[in-house]
Amino acid sequence: MMKTFFQNAWNNIRRIFGLHSNSKYVRDYLNEANVRSGVFMSAIIFVLEIWLLIRQTNKYIIPTMTDPSNTNSLFKVVFLNTSNFWLLLSFGVTMFFACLGYKKINGNKKKLISILIPAAISLAFCALMPFEFIYSKRPIVGVPLYLLISLYASIALFNIFVIIFSVYHYRGGKKNYIPTVVTISLFALVCLSFGMKVSYGDFSSVRTIDGQLVPNPDYKQIICFLMMAMYVGCLLIWKPYVSIAIIGSIFIGFYLLLEYTVSPRKFPEGDLVNYITFLISLTMICISIYVQRVNEAEKDEELEYLATKDPLTDLMSFEYFTSTVNKVIKEDTVKKNEWVFLFVDVVGFKVINDQKGYLKGNEFLIKIGELLREIFGGYISRQADDHYALFTENIDIENKVQILNEKIKEYEPIVRPDVKFGAYTFVKKEEPSREGVEKARYAYTEARNKSLGDISFYDEKMHDQYRLNQYVVRHIDEAIESNYLKPYYQPVVASKDKKLIGAEVLVRWIDPKYGMLSPVVFVPQLENARLIHKLDIAMLRNACKHLREEIDAGNKPLALSINFSRMDFITVDIVSMIEEVVNEYQIDKDLLHIEITESALMDDQDKLKYAIDRLHKFGYKVWLDDFGSGYSSFNVLKDFSFDVLKLDMAFLSSFGSNPKAKTIIGSVVEMAKTLGIGTLCEGVETKEQADFLSSIGVERLQGYLYGKPEPYEAYTSRQK
């Protein structure tokens, strides 16, 4: 425990003094923060120097030039009283625009000129340095030569450096943080040189008292050095131990300079205490600013990581992938037909999860990401689960796919999963990257459905189908509002006497652009887009409307069954929506049966059980559609409560040639009777099938033998 305490204490000390290693993100953050500080500090210098110029002009220049006894030229008067302020003003303006142009100067002439002009003016002021000596000849020169030279040299060096690197960056030179560090360091050097010059001159100034030269008791401008030192402390925020070393050296050096080179003055003890106190305070400020900035940078880095990276594979997040690729495309850094979007799916990943557990499954997904980086390169994202999206150069793609599959089988020799690809060649700059991935995904889906191999390229035929699919998703609301979705009714008869007892409500999309659309075209697309509930509720509303018309006309309508998609129970509260529509039209619950496909039971079973219980509570009969279509089959009868089983037409597909079919159908019907569940068989096309189903006790029949799906008017004519 003590070891942990001391370890934590040591880690905190290392963090406070910057002895730890920062990530590149944090280093860049600190660098940009220093640049922002440079903008503010240079703006302060600009405002301060303008104020001092106005003050000096009113206090010295105007009175001197209006004095009849004055024999000095205007240039000399202005230079003696304001030269330092003009010098600092031009220097501050140069720093201001240099920081504003940080990372944004590439090819931008306006930004380049805005930096070069003040830098050139500042250099011109440095060229006036000789006048400092010509006009300052006195019995005692207040400022040593080396301080004057240091000030002018540091300003000249700063401006030359800014000019060189501004031109370099303008011409597309590589950007890194070193020029910025040097620029800010030179800025700090100028500030310190100026502070030393002013404070030293004031500290060493003398007065004539009783005919003797004595130190000036009213020196006040030591504050100039302290202010400039504070500038440096607020600017040089990289590592506290560096800042402490720099600031400590500056303060000790300047103290020694004043204490041992200025005679006969000595540093007053009270001022020395304040001097040391200021040094300690400035050191604490540097540490505080550093720790605060590092904390902010680490938080931002974490947020940026979560926004831009997939936490498992460290690949791009899909949102960041799409935005990055969009930028790359707009910047014309990639050429049409030379790059390709890829959608990647791992076939067999579920087996790995089931056999080896989720940890091994995650390791496998990480390995896939590493191999995609190694083999394909470019921009890579894990879109979701075991799906990946790539934007990469269109070079030898099919061979790369083969190499990837070989390496994956080497990595996982027992399960031997396959990786399937869909590809879409980048051809339209205006096309969003998300749409490029969707087209690649569509190509993959077509390849998977038709067993076309490991990769399928998006082609013109797919493009026509893709456009139709997109049309469906984007126009579902219009189709509902404009009544393009028509309910079609397929008759259901009683098996004993073949009398009409109801119908299943099916849907057809009669579109003004594409004509009659089959449910095979639009239902899967609406399910994938999680919009199928709009269609299903629209069909329910149409059915309720027709039932209400029959009731209001004094007729006794037959019951209707309506199929609801599995996605309805996942995406919305479909039970409440059903109840709302039925209550709106005041339809008796016995006239509506709710069909749920067997495939829906493979999703959230608890959620679906709750939905079925609510439907029963509201008074609806719930039918299980497509029973025996290859999912959980008999287990669903154990776990769920249904009123009717609709036997899938697949049971009748081999009715005449496979004797097992009759045995299986008979067993299912007998089991349903034992459980108290009604039965309906769909897909009845021959009298032989109908007779057999009647003989084994199937209660309801549906199929082309009794009628195809037909419009409402044709269906109601059967009842007359």
Side-chain angles (χ1 to χ4, degrees):
M1 186 172 178
M2 287 296 293
K3 183 179 179 181
T4 303
F5 172 79
F6 285 114
Q7 184 66 43
N8 290 337
W10 171 240
N11 288 338
N12 288 333
I13 291 172
R14 292 176 67 242
R15 184 176 180 82
I16 289 172
F17 289 96
L19 299 171
H20 64 303
S21 177
N22 289 323
S23 67
K24 182 180 181 302
Y25 183 94
V26 174
R27 292 196 301 271
D28 289 342
Y29 184 95
L30 293 174
N31 187 49
E32 293 189 14
N34 286 333
V35 171
R36 290 194 297 272
S37 296
V39 172
F40 292 122
M41 294 301 178
S42 56
I44 291 171
I45 287 178
F46 175 81
V47 173
L48 181 61
E49 299 310 313
I50 290 291
W51 175 73
L52 287 172
L53 283 168
I54 295 172
R55 180 177 177 274
Q56 292 294 100
T57 300
N58 291 330
K59 189 173 181 180
Y60 298 109
I61 297 176
I62 294 176
T64 301
M65 295 309 299
T66 56
D67 185 356
S69 62
N70 174 50
T71 59
N72 293 319
S73 66
L74 176 63
F75 176 78
K76 182 176 180 179
V77 173
V78 171
F79 185 88
L80 284 173
N81 290 283
T82 63
S83 59
N84 284 337
F85 306 129
W86 286 111
L87 188 62
L88 264 291
L89 177 64
S90 63
F91 154 75
V93 172
T94 304
M95 180 65 181
F96 182 80
F97 284 104
C99 289
L100 285 183
Y102 174 67
K103 286 189 175 179
K104 298 177 182 178
I105 196 174
N106 187 10
N108 191 321
K109 286 186 178 180
K110 289 183 179 179
K111 287 192 179 294
L112 178 64
I113 292 172
S114 69
I115 297 172
L116 294 184
I117 290 177
I121 293 173
S122 189
L123 278 174
F125 279 121
C126 290
L128 299 176
M129 178 187 176
F131 289 99
E132 184 82 22
F133 304 99
I134 295 171
Y135 293 145
S136 298
K137 289 181 179 179
R138 301 185 184 92
I140 296 178
V141 178
V143 181
L145 179 62
Y146 56 82
L147 283 181
L148 287 175
I149 294 176
S150 296
L151 174 62
Y152 282 93
S154 60
I155 295 178
L157 183 62
F158 168 82
N159 286 293
I160 291 169
F161 184 86
V162 166
I163 290 171
I164 290 173
F165 273 91
S166 295
V167 174
Y168 173 72
H169 288 158
Y170 170 78
R171 299 183 65 179
K174 183 180 179 182
K175 292 180 174 59
N176 57 57
Y177 70 91
I178 293 177
T180 311
V181 171
V182 176
T183 301
I184 293 173
S185 298
L186 289 173
F187 178 81
L189 178 62
V190 173
C191 291
L192 286 171
S193 299
F194 180 76
M196 287 182 178
K197 172 183 178 294
V198 173
S199 295
Y200 186 96
D202 194 45
F203 187 83
S204 63
S205 64
V206 294
R207 275 188 183 180
T208 303
I209 299 178
D210 296 331
Q212 304 227 348
L213 290 175
V214 297
N216 184 0
D218 298 324
Y219 78 96
K220 301 293 183 185
Q221 295 201 54
I222 188 67
I223 194 67
C224 183
F225 168 75
L226 298 179
M227 183 183 71
M228 291 302 175
M230 187 170 63
Y231 272 29
V232 173
C234 293
L235 278 170
L236 302 178
I237 305 298
W238 287 297
K239 292 282 189 176
Y241 70 86
V242 175
S243 299
I244 292 170
I246 293 173
I247 295 170
S249 300
I250 292 167
F251 270 72
I252 293 172
F254 191 59
Y255 167 74
L256 294 175
L257 180 69
L258 297 182
E259 182 72 9
Y260 295 105
T261 64
V262 178
S263 179
R265 180 185 298 279
K266 293 294 182 183
F267 214 90
E269 187 174 345
D271 286 353
L272 178 60
V273 172
N274 292 333
Y275 191 76
I276 294 172
T277 302
F278 190 88
L279 168 61
I280 295 171
S281 300
L282 185 56
T283 302
M284 293 300 102
I285 290 172
C286 290
I287 293 174
S288 176
I289 294 174
Y290 172 81
V291 172
Q292 181 181 0
R293 285 182 180 177
V294 168
N295 288 338
E296 291 173 354
E298 289 175 346
K299 288 179 183 177
D300 286 356
E301 183 178 22
E302 182 178 359
L303 290 174
E304 183 172 310
Y305 181 85
L306 293 174
T308 61
K309 294 287 186 179
D310 171 52
L312 177 62
T313 62
D314 204 40
L315 299 172
M316 288 181 171
S317 68
F318 186 63
E319 291 298 324
Y320 185 61
F321 167 85
T322 55
S323 64
T324 301
V325 173
N326 282 339
K327 290 178 183 176
V328 169
I329 291 173
K330 287 179 181 177
E331 290 170 358
D332 285 329
T333 55
V334 298
K335 301 298 182 183
K336 298 175 183 179
N337 298 314
E338 294 181 4
W339 284 69
V340 63
F341 286 97
L342 298 176
F343 175 81
V344 186
D345 179 45
V346 182
V347 180
F349 175 68
K350 186 177 183 301
V351 178
I352 295 175
N353 262 347
D354 292 342
Q355 289 187 2
K356 299 188 175 184
Y358 287 105
L359 288 178
K360 289 294 183 183
N362 286 344
E363 289 177 8
F364 179 74
L365 292 176
I366 294 170
K367 183 65 177 179
I368 293 288
E370 291 173 353
L371 290 173
L372 289 172
R373 274 200 192 106
E374 174 189 332
I375 297 170
F376 290 90
Y379 304 88
I380 309 173
S381 163
R382 186 168 79 109
Q383 187 177 23
D385 302 323
D386 57 339
H387 299 156
Y388 299 80
L390 286 79
F391 186 60
T392 185
E393 290 187 90
N394 191 8
I395 300 174
D396 207 17
I397 294 297
E398 294 184 16
N399 185 49
K400 289 178 180 178
V401 170
Q402 183 179 350
I403 292 171
L404 176 67
N405 270 309
E406 289 172 357
K407 291 198 173 189
I408 288 173
K409 287 179 173 60
E410 289 176 8
Y411 179 78
E412 186 50 68
I414 298 176
V415 177
R416 295 180 64 79
D418 286 317
V419 177
K420 302 292 185 182
F421 284 74
Y424 169 67
T425 304
F426 163 64
V427 292
K428 288 173 63 179
K429 180 181 176 182
E430 300 77 16
E431 188 171 45
S433 59
R434 189 180 292 271
E435 189 168 332
V437 174
E438 284 302 311
K439 288 181 177 179
R441 184 188 184 107
Y442 186 78
Y444 155 78
T445 304
E446 290 293 294
R448 180 193 61 190
N449 293 340
K450 299 176 183 178
S451 301
L452 297 179
D454 291 336
I455 184 169
S456 174
F457 279 84
Y458 187 87
D459 56 25
E460 285 300 320
K461 184 177 179 182
M462 290 183 190
H463 182 63
D464 292 340
Q465 186 61 47
Y466 176 80
R467 288 179 61 189
L468 176 57
N469 294 344
Q470 293 296 303
Y471 179 86
V472 165
V473 171
R474 292 171 182 169
H475 290 78
I476 179 62
D477 291 326
E478 179 188 347
I480 293 171
E481 292 171 7
S482 302
N483 204 29
Y484 299 155
L485 297 172
K486 303 290 185 182
Y488 272 48
Y489 297 83
Q490 185 169 29
V492 175
V493 302
S495 62
K496 289 183 179 180
D497 54 14
K498 308 305 185 286
K499 286 186 177 180
L500 183 68
I501 58 173
E504 178 180 6
V505 181
L506 302 171
V507 61
R508 299 293 183 269
W509 186 328
I510 304 176
D511 190 80
K513 180 177 181 180
Y514 287 97
M516 174 75 80
L517 297 177
S518 166
V520 176
V521 172
F522 57 84
V523 168
Q525 303 309 318
L526 294 175
E527 285 186 326
N528 290 337
R530 298 186 169 224
L531 298 174
I532 191 67
H533 63 278
K534 293 186 176 184
L535 181 147
D536 291 341
I537 290 298
M539 289 303 98
L540 173 65
R541 186 172 293 279
N542 275 301
C544 288
K545 179 182 177 183
H546 289 156
L547 288 172
R548 173 46 54 193
E549 289 173 355
E550 289 293 312
I551 294 169
D552 292 344
N555 301 324
K556 187 176 181 181
L558 301 176
L560 302 175
S561 65
I562 302 177
N563 201 311
F564 285 87
S565 166
R566 53 184 284 274
M567 293 304 300
D568 293 340
F569 296 91
I570 295 173
T571 56
V572 295
D573 181 5
I574 195 66
V575 177
S576 295
M577 296 173 75
I578 292 170
E579 184 69 0
E580 181 181 346
V581 173
V582 173
N583 288 337
E584 178 185 340
Y585 286 92
Q586 298 181 348
I587 304 299
D588 191 326
K589 308 296 176 62
D590 289 334
L591 292 175
L592 286 169
H593 306 315
I594 308 300
E595 295 190 23
I596 301 174
T597 58
E598 186 181 347
S599 61
L601 309 179
M602 296 299 293
D603 295 309
D604 189 336
Q605 295 194 356
D606 291 337
K607 189 173 184 178
L608 195 60
K609 283 180 184 178
Y610 177 65
I612 292 173
D613 289 343
R614 287 178 67 199
L615 288 168
H616 279 138
K617 182 180 178 181
F618 287 130
Y620 299 98
K621 295 289 192 298
V622 182
W623 294 11
L624 177 60
D625 192 19
D626 295 336
F627 179 76
S629 57
Y631 292 85
S632 52
S633 295
F634 294 104
N635 278 334
V636 304
L637 301 181
K638 171 175 66 72
D639 297 329
F640 295 88
S641 176
F642 292 101
D643 300 290
V644 172
L645 293 186
K646 286 189 72 173
L647 303 181
D648 188 76
M649 63 179 65
F651 276 118
L652 301 180
S653 61
S654 57
F655 181 84
S657 59
N658 189 347
K660 294 180 182 179
K662 292 183 178 181
T663 304
I664 293 172
I665 296 172
S667 299
V668 171
V669 173
E670 187 63 33
M671 177 186 61
K673 287 180 181 178
T674 303
L675 295 173
I677 302 174
T679 52
L680 181 154
C681 190
E682 57 184 346
V684 181
E685 296 182 354
T686 67
K687 186 174 182 303
E688 179 188 4
Q689 292 172 345
D691 290 342
F692 169 74
L693 294 170
S694 298
S695 69
I696 61 173
V698 174
E699 298 162 349
R700 300 174 178 86
L701 303 176
Q702 178 183 344
Y704 281 9
L705 181 63
Y706 304 107
K708 296 180 179 181
E710 55 195 5
Y712 174 69
E713 294 75 13
Y715 165 70
T716 53
S717 66
R718 289 175 176 269
Q719 303 177 48
K720 297 177 182 178

